[in-house]
Amino acid sequence: MTVEFRQIEIADTDAFRAAIDIVARERKYIALTEAPPIEQVRAFVTRNVERGYPQIIAVIDGAVVGWCNVPPASRAVSAHVGDLFMGLLPDVRGRGFGEQLLRQAVQAADTFGFRRIELGVFASNVAAAALYRKIGFVEEGTKRMAILVDGTYHDEIIMARLKD
């Protein structure tokens, strides 16, 4: 199985949204229960492409099987901060692709000029938290009951990595 890791292109929008939808519907790894509307995803991808924001995708046989995007934080005073979001389809987990994807996205974020990358991860997602630690992210705290899915509250671990 050959996986291509690369910066997203606008033509990848539909496949990217489909991947988000699969992971979101699992209801345990990302803070979505379904993918956003295609218009919203298209605007997000277009903005990332036009502004050069890091958004690395993993592609197998033309299908997006994972993503890791690092857009800037929303406030002007945090322009040096990237907010990391990632996901992998169930069929490709546990094969090292997440680490490759994350390393490429972090490198792209460093090249872009972010001095800090931050993320939130479900406290129950032990494997993802361990991967982030392996890449140099440090736990900064836990937001208790931060996410509510199907009547169940989930704690969210807040992690960050500072550029050396």
Side-chain angles (χ1 to χ4, degrees):
M1 174 182 315
T2 303
V3 181
E4 176 188 12
F5 298 94
R6 63 175 171 77
Q7 178 70 22
I8 199 166
E9 299 169 0
I10 293 172
D12 299 312
T13 301
D14 289 342
F16 169 59
R17 183 185 181 278
I20 291 172
D21 198 54
I22 290 168
V23 176
R25 288 179 187 277
E26 290 180 282
R27 304 171 98 78
K28 59 184 177 179
Y29 296 117
I30 61 176
L32 296 171
T33 56
E34 64 183 86
I38 187 62
E39 300 79 18
Q40 186 178 338
V41 176
R42 187 171 290 114
F44 176 76
V45 171
T46 300
R47 182 193 69 164
N48 288 350
V49 169
E50 288 175 351
R51 297 182 185 175
Y53 298 153
Q55 184 171 0
I56 307 300
I57 55 172
V59 180
I60 298 175
D61 296 330
V64 174
V65 298
W67 72 90
C68 189
N69 44 280
V70 190
S74 57
R75 299 180 308 166
V77 295
S78 298
H80 64 290
V81 179
D83 286 329
L84 187 143
F85 304 93
M86 76 177 287
L88 279 174
L89 296 188
D91 294 346
V92 298
R93 293 181 191 141
R95 300 182 188 186
F97 299 143
E99 181 175 345
Q100 292 175 331
L101 183 60
L102 179 59
R103 286 187 186 280
Q104 286 201 25
V106 166
Q107 182 179 13
D110 286 349
T111 299
F112 184 80
F114 290 128
R115 302 286 304 169
R116 173 184 168 88
I117 303 170
E118 54 191 32
L119 60 88
V121 59
F122 280 54
S124 59
N125 193 348
V126 176
L131 173 61
Y132 296 133
R133 286 185 191 95
K134 181 177 182 179
I135 304 301
F137 286 81
V138 176
E139 187 172 328
E140 294 188 331
T142 300
K143 292 169 60 178
R144 296 177 301 133
M145 296 175 57
I147 300 165
L148 177 62
V149 178
D150 298 330
T152 301
Y153 291 98
H154 300 270
D155 292 349
E156 182 181 30
I157 300 170
I158 304 303
M159 303 179 86
R161 175 194 168 272
L162 301 180
K163 185 176 178 184
D164 296 332

